[in-house]
Amino acid sequence: TQATCNPQETTPTGKGVRVKREMPKLTIRPVVMEDAEILYRWATDPETRLQSFNSDTFTWESHLKWLEAGLKDENHLMFIGLDGYGVPVALSRFLIEGDRATIAYVTDPARRGRGYASAIIHYGTAELFRVRPDVNLVNAYIKPSNPASIAACKNAGYHRVDTREYRGEEVVCLT
């Protein structure tokens, strides 16, 4: 299943939140095992590791095990964002607990600064709400040292809630 979202539509929460600036149009599809190599490249990028809550490095083998387990878990949804040429440019993934989810995302390091972070957050969230209507709220937890991610979430229609502890670190929470 692939979904193409219009960035000018309201978000699927029904609250009428609109994106703050135009963003690239993406086609969203579920992650498959064949995406393992590109996801590994994105995840092992030094800047990605720096901004991750777990900045430890990992092996190709452990990545494959993680991806395989995630694809089997109905409460771990992952979506690839494809640009207008069908090229993968970003990933959004959601860990679901009850009626809430936590988003994590990464963009292709070679394509940073082009609006793909906001786009994958926006479109990924829309797709999550479409396929999992039982989810009512999505939280993003971002390190205060990562203002670009905070801005990307805000541009995608998320709003800052507060600062709190998450995984042993003080973070900015947006929803």
Side-chain angles (χ1 to χ4, degrees):
T1 302
Q2 293 189 350
T4 303
C5 300
N6 179 341
Q8 301 310 316
E9 292 176 355
T10 59
T11 61
T13 61
K15 297 179 182 175
V17 178
R18 293 190 178 273
V19 295
K20 295 188 177 188
R21 66 177 176 88
E22 194 169 324
M23 63 180 74
K25 187 175 182 179
L26 294 180
T27 300
I28 300 293
R29 67 161 172 78
V31 169
V32 293
M33 278 305 292
E34 289 76 17
D35 295 316
E37 185 178 340
I38 196 164
L39 297 179
Y40 183 74
R41 280 190 282 130
W42 295 349
T44 56
D45 170 72
E47 181 64 22
T48 300
R49 299 293 353 118
L50 180 67
Q51 297 303 337
S52 297
F53 289 105
N54 178 357
S55 58
D56 296 341
T57 59
F58 50 89
T59 65
W60 169 249
E61 291 77 20
S62 65
H63 171 69
L64 289 176
K65 288 179 185 176
W66 170 86
L67 182 57
E68 187 173 16
L71 291 174
K72 291 178 182 176
D73 184 348
E74 66 183 25
N75 290 314
H76 186 188
L77 299 182
M78 296 181 272
F79 304 110
I80 288 280
L82 307 170
D83 70 9
Y85 299 100
V87 176
V89 295
L91 163 80
S92 61
R93 63 185 187 89
F94 300 88
L95 296 175
I96 302 165
E97 293 183 35
D99 67 346
R100 296 176 183 241
T102 300
I103 186 174
Y105 67 92
V106 64
T107 58
D108 177 345
R111 297 171 190 268
R112 289 188 181 128
R114 299 182 191 178
Y116 289 121
S118 294
I120 196 63
I121 295 164
H122 179 77
Y123 299 140
T125 301
E127 186 66 0
L128 170 71
F129 285 130
R130 188 185 74 75
V131 301
R132 287 292 298 263
D134 57 313
V135 174
N136 296 317
L137 180 71
V138 177
N139 286 320
Y141 300 108
I142 301 172
K143 293 180 178 182
S145 62
N146 192 350
S149 280
I150 294 168
C153 283
K154 287 180 176 181
N155 188 56
Y158 282 54
H159 301 279
R160 184 180 177 138
V161 176
D162 59 21
T163 302
R164 62 179 74 165
E165 189 171 308
Y166 178 75
R167 294 188 178 183
E169 295 188 45
E170 186 171 301
V171 299
V172 175
C173 176
L174 299 101
T175 190

